[in-house]
Amino acid sequence: MVISNLKFIVDHNVGKLAKWLRVMGYDTLFFTGDGDWQMVTTALAEGRVILTRDTQIMRRGVVTSGRLKAILIQSDEPKQQMQQVVETLNLDTQFRLFSICLECNQPLEGRDKQHVKDRVPLYVFQTQSQYMECPTCHRIYWRGTHWQAMLNKLERFKGS
Ligand SMILES: [Zn+2]
């Protein structure tokens, strides 16, 4: 069974995970503050799973008691890190593909073609019909070739 309401907080030492979890559509904060305590507090308050390479966090009482879920990432390599997360939590890599901003973690909003006319390159406008906009940073997303490249990468995160 796939758990659909998982949310994450990604430690700065495994930052690449944030982008890929957002690509899949999982609400993911990227923690850049200092002090583990701040990350732990946010995770507890918002019900987020911590992803980290920091063994200290794993020894905290809130984690060992099971009140807070944290995953100790084993590898240095982003692909293997993603494989570990996907396998451990049985994540759906196609969960809500490309539904949140990769920069801001905000849900994207649909935009019609005319609305983005002057904001995307002409060749994109001529070939794409569906667009999404981030309400925070106003970046426009569309299903171009980079989407396909990301989809292919997502496939490789699944266990063999
Ligand atoms: Zn944004």
Side-chain angles (χ1 to χ4, degrees):
M1 192 190 80
V2 172
I3 305 162
S4 60
N5 59 351
L6 276 172
K7 296 189 287 184
F8 297 94
I9 187 163
V10 169
D11 204 351
H12 60 88
N13 53 27
V14 286
K16 288 242 166 62
L17 290 172
K19 175 189 156 191
W20 286 108
L21 289 165
R22 287 173 185 169
V23 169
M24 292 192 255
Y26 290 98
D27 177 345
T28 304
L29 293 185
F30 179 38
F31 182 73
T32 53
D34 22 63
D36 296 348
W37 177 242
Q38 207 187 328
M39 182 164 70
V40 167
T41 306
T42 305
L44 274 175
E46 301 182 8
R48 294 180 182 276
V49 177
I50 290 182
L51 305 176
T52 185
R53 298 212 64 200
D54 182 351
T55 54
Q56 300 284 356
I57 289 176
M58 305 308 289
R59 290 195 209 105
R60 284 177 175 270
V62 282
V63 175
T64 55
S65 69
R67 267 183 69 210
L68 177 61
K69 188 162 178 64
I71 296 176
L72 184 64
I73 301 299
Q74 308 290 344
S75 174
D76 273 332
E77 207 269 309
K79 183 184 162 203
Q80 284 171 18
Q81 292 177 346
M82 276 309 300
Q83 285 175 335
Q84 184 189 351
V85 176
V86 168
E87 273 173 40
T88 304
L89 297 171
N90 188 27
L91 290 188
D92 178 1
T93 57
Q94 314 260 322
F95 173 49
R96 285 178 190 152
L97 276 180
F98 309 110
S99 61
I100 58 181
C101 181
L102 302 185
E103 304 296 328
C104 314
N105 195 42
Q106 287 295 317
L108 298 176
E109 296 171 354
R111 291 287 181 261
D112 60 46
K113 201 171 161 154
Q114 289 309 317
H115 190 93
V116 301
K117 187 170 186 197
D118 301 322
R119 301 167 64 194
V120 298
L122 183 61
Y123 75 92
V124 171
F125 184 76
Q126 286 168 339
T127 54
Q128 302 293 322
S129 57
Q130 288 187 307
Y131 298 89
M132 308 283 275
E133 178 174 358
C134 171
T136 303
C137 72
H138 300 291
R139 186 172 162 181
I140 304 286
Y141 290 81
W142 61 88
R143 298 183 185 227
T145 48
H146 61 291
W147 287 49
Q148 192 56 51
M150 283 200 241
L151 277 177
N152 294 340
K153 262 196 155 175
L154 282 177
E155 283 300 307
R156 302 208 302 266
F157 296 149
K158 290 180 190 168
S160 49

